[in-house]
Amino acid sequence: MTELQAGQGAQPLEVPRIDARPQRYRDVLIALAAFVLLALLPMVFGSKQLLDFVIRCAAYGLFATSLNLLVGYTGLISFGHGMFFGLGAYGFGLMMQKTGVPIPVAFVATLAMTFVVAVVIGAICVRLREIYFAFVTLAFQMLIHSTILSWQSLTGGDQGLRGGIPRPPFLGIDLSNHLHLYITSCALLVIGLFLMRQIAQSPFGYTLRMIRDNATRASFIGIDVWRAKLVIFVLAALFAATGGIIMALFVSGAYPEFAYWTISGEGIFINMLGGVTTFLGPMVGTVLLLILNDTVTRLTEYHGIVLGIVILFFAIGLRKGLMDFVVEWYGHRRGEGRG
Amino acid sequence: MDLDALASCLTSPACLVTQTTSGLIIGMLLFLVAVGLTLIFGVLKVVNFSHGAFYMFGAYFAMTAYQLTGSFALAILSGAVGTALLGLIFERAFMSRVYGRDVLMQLLVCYAFVLIFDDVVRMIWGPEFRSMGMPAAFQVPPLFIAGGVVPPYYLLLIGVALVAAVVLGLGLARSRIGKVIRAAAHNPGMVSALGINTGLIYGGVFALGGMLAGLAGALAAPVRSLTPGMGFSVLIESFIVTVIGGMGSILGALIGALLIGLIRSFGSLGFPLFTEGLMYLFMVIVLVSRPTGLFGKEVA
């Protein structure tokens, strides 16, 4: 993780504020403003495609941002984070199809199930370091994917959960109404991002950065590194599952691809594209990747080549994500202006 | 789950022979791919996520050469040499730019090439399944050992893989180049200070790794169908093999590959739908009990 190590990066180590309240008020205001803007969007541009795009951004954005809590903040390169996206989609879809409980109950129950699974898998994975961590998470992801494929009676195997997910109205919200689904997705996105931001800015968030920069030192000053890693692994899993739930609601089903390793690969690519050192980098990456995917798929059948070249441009040419680049460039410019 | 089928096979010599042979060829092909992967990791310290593409190219090169010349030996040769060249170019032009950088960058460069290579194959050879067909020399009746069916081609495949394993093992342990490679893996700075061109060694090791994967692909071409993206499942399996064996250990790759081959072959009887799951489960069990694999060393 040389790129992320303290002292080598261009940015100085952030110093946590002792009183975090002013920042929290600012975050609340930003979150409210973002939500209002998103909610007003359908009145300005009524196109269904745009709303669909935002819903997909909400699903992938929550997933990618939660992955960045692991990759960017803690230095845990998970190659299996997509399993929680898939678990969220399947858990929620199955709960709605089989039990007929109200949507909020299914939502909470799915997160509870994800919590249990993430604690068990996380307890095993976070013992391992670097590439071994990446591969054991990948193995768990593929294990879950294989289970979904082979447990046909429950999951429908490679056909996925079909027949649609029932979406009975609750509290005046009817998720089979496209506009309601849109507003709910935006609300989940904004709330999720706000919560993750609070985690990242909390003392615990700074503990994670310390573990990323120097785990040995962190354990010497009395931090339980294993526990901190496990806590963030589980928290990130919950947000990824929320993304999966949005996705299941959006497509009204769940498919094995949601739990396939490529979801994790895309998540890492999104983070790379947007940048891992800023909180909103993954969101920017999500928007970029979805736009890129949509346009490239329309223009050519060989979209692998185009995507590959874009990745190479970022990895070898730019050597960092877009937001990292912008922040650094802005920092330089401001620094020069002052000097 | 069909445990009865598994139990009845385990008690029948004919079935045991058939399943063990098929497990061995899966294992041997995996070994060739995985040993290249583990070699590249051991020396260059990068995880070559695009390694499966070399297996795929090896198979397609062999098929094309066989269709053009009709010679099976030339097919195998072009599979191996073609991927060696490809590996050399790939390493010098791209991978060498991300050494010592973030693991994430290395993975991304490889991921980019997984996407690019698959599309290149789709452009050149088309998206549909292709098959090379069994070379004429091996279209002979199978051998029967204890009642079990053993196609002669399987014996060739196992033989070639074993020879490759021995040559590689002895070469690394005894030859001068092998010693230089091991030294470069251990302390590249020192090797470079002694006036040895480490860039050349890195390129050579990458080419060797690519060649082994290409050889596996060429050997697999007569018995597998060829399709863009075929490298991927092999890649994942060879990762499991290297991780089980311990990243960087050649002996580990051999044992890991044989274990995975046997698990696949016998698992397909007892757990037809969950055969892949068994491998992942096995990997998880190994990593939980030995976090650096069976023969891996903890590197601080």
Side-chain angles (χ1 to χ4, degrees), chain A residues 176-196:
Chain A
S176 49
N177 175 319
H178 197 252
L179 195 62
H180 285 205
L181 178 63
Y182 169 80
I183 299 283
T184 310
S185 303
C186 292
L188 284 175
L189 173 67
V190 170
I191 294 169
L193 287 180
F194 175 78
L195 291 176
M196 282 193 267

Side-chain angles (χ1 to χ4, degrees), chain A residues 124-145:
Chain A
I124 296 170
C125 292
V126 299
R127 293 196 310 144
L128 305 170
R129 281 189 304 169
E130 294 199 348
I131 210 68
Y132 290 96
F133 174 79
F135 283 120
V136 80
T137 48
L138 178 68
F140 270 113
Q141 162 129 39
M142 295 307 286
L143 185 61
I144 285 178
H145 181 253

Side-chain angles (χ1 to χ4, degrees), chain B residues 96-285:
Chain B
S96 55
R97 293 170 195 273
V98 286
Y99 289 151
R101 300 253 307 276
D102 200 335
V103 185
L104 206 57
M105 294 289 182
Q106 299 169 352
L107 282 175
L108 271 170
V109 171
C110 293
Y111 181 58
F113 273 96
V114 170
L115 298 173
I116 293 174
F117 283 151
D118 279 358
D119 264 4
V120 166
V121 167
R122 200 169 289 133
M123 275 176 170
I124 300 177
W125 286 283
E128 63 278 351
F129 280 88
R130 303 282 296 267
S131 77
M132 168 170 155
M134 184 60 77
F138 293 98
Q139 288 175 353
V140 289
L143 305 173
F144 287 93
I145 300 172
V149 188
V150 181
Y153 185 73
Y154 283 21
L155 295 178
L156 173 91
L157 203 159
I158 294 170
V160 171
L162 273 180
V163 169
V166 171
V167 168
L168 192 68
L170 283 181
L172 273 182
R174 300 278 165 79
S175 75
R176 195 188 124 71
I177 298 175
K179 283 175 188 160
V180 173
I181 290 176
R182 282 187 290 137
H186 198 69
N187 191 340
M190 182 66 81
V191 169
S192 148
L194 289 171
I196 294 167
N197 185 345
T198 44
L200 199 67
I201 294 180
Y202 284 179
V205 167
F206 209 97
L208 180 63
M211 189 189 84
L212 289 162
L215 177 67
L219 285 170
V223 286
R224 301 276 159 88
S225 51
L226 280 62
T227 165
M230 68 186 278
F232 210 83
S233 53
V234 174
L235 172 77
I236 296 275
E237 282 170 35
S238 57
F239 268 133
I240 299 180
V241 165
T242 43
V243 169
I244 287 175
M247 300 283 283
S249 159
I250 292 179
L251 179 66
L254 181 64
I255 297 195
L258 291 178
L259 284 172
I260 289 295
L262 292 174
I263 286 179
R264 285 202 71 109
S265 150
F266 284 98
S268 66
L269 291 174
F271 308 86
L273 287 170
F274 198 63
T275 319
E276 297 223 333
L278 283 183
M279 297 188 313
Y280 301 118
L281 202 59
F282 184 60
M283 168 173 171
V284 167
I285 293 170

